[in-house]
Amino acid sequence: MSKYLAETRGDLDASICLYEKNMLLSESFYVSLQTLEVCLRNKLDAAMSQTYGADWLMNSHAAPLSDFSRRLVNEAMPNIGSELSHGKLVAEAKFAFWVGLVSKGYDQSLWRAACFKAFLAEGGKKRSMVHGRLNSIRRFRNRIAHHEPIFHKDIGRQHSEIIEAIQWMCRGTSAWAQHHSRTLIVLNSS
């Protein structure tokens, strides 16, 4: 509670109210963050499969993944169990893995060969812009996942940036996420 008490100058009642507001705001991002993550992994998987083959994720020689990326794939495998499949591995891989596929280290390889195809819904985007946005969203998502305060963030901007990032991949999915998101309702009711 120290961050909330500091924000409210030690007022316990106000701190509890701020904590509850933060909790509701964090909860309200579930739809947009879930939609972004699922859309990202599906679009990147489709682009990578088209270029490197349907087994690109399970075949260590199919795509030129870095040691770090390969380690993230290998870490996901035991969580699946005995029925390992490409689809299950796509779903199990961490968000950081997918964001990493559009990082600077892959600019000359994966981005130019495959990953750019995932972001053509709005006419295409620069890799640096895509990675910058997705990495910022990843950090914001991790704050929520680790129950950290987000009340001091520009919630409206954070929400619109998530919706826009989805739109870079699929306009229909972006509209769906915006329609079902409660973030702006929660923000405007507090």
Side-chain angles (χ1 to χ4, degrees):
M1 287 295 290
S2 62
K3 293 177 183 178
Y4 301 94
L5 285 166
E7 183 69 22
T8 61
R9 296 185 184 106
D11 183 328
L12 182 60
D13 289 337
S15 296
I16 291 170
C17 287
L18 185 57
Y19 182 88
E20 290 170 350
K21 175 184 176 181
N22 192 80
M23 182 177 57
L24 292 171
L25 286 170
S26 295
E27 174 192 48
S28 76
F29 274 96
Y30 183 82
V31 168
S32 58
L33 288 170
Q34 176 192 18
T35 304
L36 172 73
E37 192 164 344
V38 171
C39 188
L40 178 66
R41 71 184 188 209
N42 290 343
K43 288 291 191 173
L44 284 175
D45 176 52
M48 293 290 287
S49 293
Q50 182 182 23
T51 303
Y52 297 106
D55 67 341
W56 73 272
L57 201 49
M58 294 174 66
N59 178 347
S60 62
H61 303 293
L65 297 179
S66 68
D67 290 342
F68 177 74
S69 294
R70 185 55 58 197
R71 191 178 92 232
L72 290 175
V73 170
N74 291 337
E75 286 174 3
M77 287 182 181
N79 298 331
I80 296 169
S82 62
E83 296 184 31
L84 181 64
S85 69
H86 179 82
K88 288 180 180 180
L89 193 50
V90 167
E92 190 65 34
K94 293 179 179 179
F95 188 49
F97 169 78
W98 299 105
V99 173
L101 292 183
V102 298
S103 67
K104 186 176 182 177
Y106 287 127
D107 185 61
Q108 298 295 316
S109 57
L110 300 184
W111 177 261
R112 292 176 191 246
C115 292
F116 78 94
K117 297 173 191 171
F119 302 94
L120 296 177
E122 290 292 305
K125 299 289 177 216
K126 289 179 143 186
R127 186 215 49 80
S128 60
M129 181 180 190
V130 170
H131 183 259
R133 174 70 60 86
L134 293 176
N135 204 36
S136 173
I137 293 169
R138 181 192 60 78
R139 287 191 304 270
F140 180 72
R141 170 198 174 273
N142 287 349
R143 289 195 68 76
I144 291 172
H146 294 283
H147 315 293
E148 293 289 330
I150 63 167
F151 64 83
H152 59 284
K153 302 280 188 184
D154 183 342
I155 298 299
R157 183 183 59 78
Q158 290 287 157
H159 182 261
S160 68
E161 287 184 358
I162 294 166
I163 297 299
E164 183 182 44
I166 299 167
Q167 190 170 327
W168 295 345
M169 296 176 280
C170 179
R171 290 182 186 134
T173 302
S174 176
W176 183 91
Q178 186 160 7
H179 174 76
H180 290 285
S181 174
R182 295 179 37 252
T183 300
L184 298 180
I185 294 167
V186 171
L187 179 63
N188 292 328
S189 69
S190 51

